[in-house]
């Protein structure tokens, strides 16, 4: 059976225009300013978002400063989200942990990991609950730690420091795959024109 020419053209247009993707979105945790930024906050970038909470012993209270997120702006790898723990470190330590939404998050970076300090990721479907250990214990700074394997498995991911203190440096979200502006309209127009042409050909055959 011979494939109508308009279907061939339309199929080619779909391949060309409907597979357009954008660069991954990087969340800049310094965008809300330095210091204490509250018990939770939502960061947006490139149409994606990530919400982050601070917790201590599996619970949080908005009036408890020790569970507030703290953006630390230091030198070297001393930059990122920690917790307002009341001392000069303001990092994730002790029984406290940072939890964030997992959906769409592709990678995270963890910093301020000194000799003898460790961190561990946990997956959870309950906000405020540390959850289940995932992956191996980290013993050094991690850049673009891959979370793709757990995306969709857990609602939240928690960052906990079994020993020492660490920071959540940044995160990236996978780029959405969407049509270019005007591509949808163009494809609809091609389809209508093609159908009219095909209908006319059938009518006068």
């Amino acid at each position: 059976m011979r494939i109508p020419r308009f279907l061939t053209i339309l199929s080619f247009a779909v391949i060309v225009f409907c597979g357009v993707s954008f660069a991954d979105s990087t969340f800049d945790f310094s965008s809300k300013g330095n210091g204490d930024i509250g018990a939770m906050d939502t960061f947006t970038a490139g149409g994606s978002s990530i919400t982050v909470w601070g917790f201590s012993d599996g619970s949080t209270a908005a009036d408890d400063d020790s569970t507030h997120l703290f953006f630390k702006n230091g030198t070297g790898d001393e930059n990122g989200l920690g917790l307002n723990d009341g001392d000069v470190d303001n990092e994730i330590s002790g029984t406290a942990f940072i939890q964030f939404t997992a959906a769409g998050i592709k990678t995270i970076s963890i910093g301020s990991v000194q000799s003898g300090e460790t961190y561990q990721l946990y997956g959870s479907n309950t906000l405020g609950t540390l959850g289940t250990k995932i992956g191996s214990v980290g013993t050094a700074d991690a850049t673009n730690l891959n979370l793709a394997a757990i995306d969709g498995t857990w609602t939240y991911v928690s960052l906990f420091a079994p020993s020492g203190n660490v920071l959540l440096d940044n995160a990236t979200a996978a780029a959405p795959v969407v049509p270019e502006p005007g591509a949808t309209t163009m494809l609809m127009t091609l389809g209508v024109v093609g159908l009219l042409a095909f209908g006319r050909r059938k009518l006068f055959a």
Side-chain angles (χ1 to χ4, degrees):
M1 181 179 68
R2 186 178 179 183
I3 301 174
R5 182 177 295 178
F6 87 92
L7 287 179
T8 303
I9 297 173
L10 187 58
S11 298
F12 177 77
V14 169
I15 294 172
V16 172
F17 294 105
C18 284
V20 179
S21 62
F22 299 97
D24 291 345
S25 301
T26 300
F27 298 99
D28 177 11
F29 292 133
S30 66
S31 61
K32 300 295 180 72
N34 299 331
D36 190 319
I37 59 174
M40 62 84 67
D41 212 331
T42 298
F43 300 82
T44 58
S48 301
S49 65
I50 179 173
T51 301
V52 189
W53 294 264
F55 292 97
S56 178
D57 291 319
S59 62
T60 186
D63 58 352
D64 181 0
D65 287 350
S66 67
T67 61
H68 281 197
L69 300 169
F70 190 99
F71 179 73
K72 185 175 181 179
N73 187 4
T75 58
D77 66 348
E78 300 293 318
N79 293 279
L81 277 180
L83 293 168
N84 189 355
D85 58 10
D87 62 30
V88 294
D89 287 328
N90 291 311
E91 298 184 4
I92 305 165
S93 62
T95 59
F97 60 95
I98 277 181
Q99 192 171 65
F100 56 89
T101 49
I105 303 305
K106 186 176 179 181
T107 67
I108 60 171
S109 295
I110 300 168
S112 190
V113 186
Q114 311 300 327
S115 177
E117 296 182 334
T118 62
Y119 63 85
Q120 179 71 56
L121 295 179
Y122 287 72
S124 176
N125 290 319
T126 304
L127 183 63
T129 299
L130 188 61
T132 303
K133 288 182 181 180
I134 51 178
S136 58
V137 175
T139 58
D141 287 0
T143 302
N144 296 327
L145 189 64
N146 184 17
L147 295 186
I150 64 171
D151 186 17
T153 303
W154 303 104
T155 305
Y156 307 100
V157 173
S158 308
L159 173 59
F160 173 69
S163 61
N165 44 51
V166 303
L167 293 169
L168 178 61
D169 280 354
N170 58 63
T172 63
V177 178
V178 297
E180 286 184 338
T184 301
T185 301
M186 183 170 63
L187 290 175
M188 290 176 65
T189 302
L190 281 172
V192 171
V193 171
L195 287 172
L196 289 174
F198 185 63
R200 183 183 179 190
R201 182 178 176 182
K202 284 288 188 181
L203 182 63
F204 292 99

